[in-house]
Amino acid sequence: MKLKKSISMVAVLLLVVACKTNPFTGEKNLNFVSNDQLFPTSFDQYDQFLSENEVVRGTAEAQMIKRVGNKIETAAERYLNANGYQGFLEDFRWEYNLVKDDAVNAFAMPGGKIVFYTGILPIAETETGVAVVMAHEIAHALADHGAQRMSAAQLQQLGAVAGSVAVSGRSQETQQIFAQAYGLGTQLGVMLPFSRSHETEADRIGLTLMAIAGYNPDEAADLWRRMAAQSGGQAPPEFLSTHPSNQTRINNLQQWAPEAKAEATKYGVTSYK
C-alpha cells in the first residue's frame, strides 16, 4: 500500500513540475526530459543512422534539402526572437541529409537532426513541396515532441507498475486481464491520440514557418492530396493510427493556410515561391 501511494505521489509531482511552454502555442506541455539528457543521445543515434545508410551528397536534390532546411531554420529563429524566445535554439545542432531509400518518409530527431528519404521527393514534386515536409519535421524538433513522447511513455510505465501493485493480491487471471486492458486502453485512449496531436501541431507550426521562409502554405494541402492518392486509401482507421487521416490533414491545412500567411506578413513576406 505504501509503495502504491509513493508511486502515485511521484506521478503527481512529475505532472505538476515537469512542464515546458511551447513557444508557438503558448501551452504548457508535459516534458521532464531536458535537452542535456536527450540531445547527446539523439546526435549519436543520428550519426550512427547516417553511417549505416546511403547519404546522397552533392546532387541538386541534396543541395535543395539543405537549402530549404536552412531557410526554415532561419524563419524559426526569426519567429522565436520576435516572440521573446531568444536563445531557445542554443542547444540545437541543425543538420539536413538526403538518404537513398524508397520509403515515402522523412523524420526529425531531437535537437534539429533531419532526414529526408529520396522516396518522398516525387510526392513533394517541387522545392515548395519539400518545404511543406521540412517545416513539419522542424516543427517536431522545435516543439520537443520527442521529449514529450518519452515523458508520456515513462508515465505510462509508472501507471502500469502502480496498477500491478494494486492487483498483486488478486488471481493470476485478474492480473493478466488488468495488464491487457491497461495496455490497450492507454495505447488507444492516450498514446495514439497524443501522437496524433503532435502531428497536427507540427502541421500547423510548419505552415507558419514555411510561410515566413517565403514558401506558399497553400501547397501543403495539395501535397497531402498527392500523398492520399499515392497511398490508395490503404490506411488504418484514424483512431488506430499515430497520424491523423489524410483528409483530416487536408481540411486542417486548408483552414490554417490563411493564418500562416497573415503571420508571415509581420515579417515582411508578401509573395511566395
Side-chain angles (χ1 to χ4, degrees):
M1 194 66 179
K2 288 183 179 179
L3 178 59
K4 180 182 176 183
K5 287 183 178 179
S6 297
I7 293 171
S8 298
M9 289 176 64
V10 170
V12 170
L13 182 62
L14 287 172
L15 288 170
V16 170
V17 303
C19 289
K20 185 176 179 180
T21 301
N22 184 319
F24 294 92
T25 66
E27 297 177 352
K28 296 283 188 180
N29 298 131
L30 174 71
N31 183 355
F32 46 84
V33 183
S34 69
N35 290 352
D36 289 342
Q37 293 173 295
L38 185 58
F39 284 10
T41 301
S42 173
F43 298 162
D44 287 344
Q45 290 178 344
Y46 186 79
D47 289 342
Q48 182 178 348
F49 175 87
L50 294 183
S51 71
E52 295 172 351
N53 289 271
E54 185 177 348
V55 180
V56 181
R57 306 183 191 277
T59 67
E61 290 177 332
Q63 291 170 358
M64 176 176 62
I65 295 300
K66 294 184 185 298
R67 179 173 64 251
V68 173
N70 288 331
K71 285 184 177 180
I72 295 176
E73 174 191 336
T74 299
E77 188 168 12
R78 291 182 68 193
Y79 178 94
L80 291 164
N81 289 343
N83 287 277
Y85 288 90
Q86 295 87 351
F88 186 91
L89 300 175
E90 183 177 354
D91 297 328
F92 282 68
R93 300 292 180 266
W94 296 103
E95 194 170 348
Y96 315 97
N97 280 290
L98 181 64
V99 169
K100 188 174 181 180
D101 194 300
D102 290 337
V104 181
N105 198 19
F107 64 84
M109 296 181 69
K113 301 297 187 179
I114 313 295
V115 167
F116 257 70
Y117 287 137
T118 52
I120 202 171
L121 293 178
I123 303 294
E125 291 188 349
T126 64
E127 183 171 324
T128 301
V130 168
V132 174
V133 181
M134 180 67 76
H136 174 91
E137 299 304 335
I138 286 178
H140 275 309
L142 293 171
D144 292 320
H145 286 161
Q148 289 180 45
R149 285 193 295 273
M150 289 181 64
S151 300
Q154 289 177 31
L155 282 181
Q156 184 186 34
Q157 292 169 3
L158 196 61
V161 172
S164 296
V165 171
V167 300
S168 59
R170 307 291 182 85
S171 68
Q172 190 68 28
E173 182 182 8
T174 298
Q175 293 181 46
Q176 290 176 350
I177 290 172
F178 164 77
Q180 293 172 356
Y182 179 84
L184 183 61
T186 55
Q187 186 68 9
L188 293 181
V190 180
M191 301 304 286
L192 288 178
F194 193 55
S195 180
R196 289 194 296 272
S197 72
H198 283 172
E199 293 300 321
T200 299
E201 187 172 83
D203 280 346
R204 192 166 195 172
I205 294 169
L207 281 183
T208 297
L209 295 180
M210 69 177 293
I212 295 173
Y215 295 105
N216 189 351
D218 290 332
E219 171 64 16
D222 289 337
L223 180 141
W224 278 100
R225 289 188 184 95
R226 296 194 294 273
M227 194 75 77
Q230 187 271 342
S231 67
Q234 300 300 312
E238 187 170 270
F239 78 96
L240 292 175
S241 177
T242 57
H243 290 57
S245 70
N246 290 331
Q247 192 57 53
T248 294
R249 298 184 95 149
I250 291 166
N251 293 343
N252 287 339
L253 292 165
Q254 284 180 308
Q255 178 184 342
W256 297 331
E259 297 175 5
K261 290 180 178 180
E263 182 67 25
T265 61
K266 299 177 185 178
Y267 301 84
V269 180
T270 57
S271 60
Y272 301 97
K273 294 188 70 167

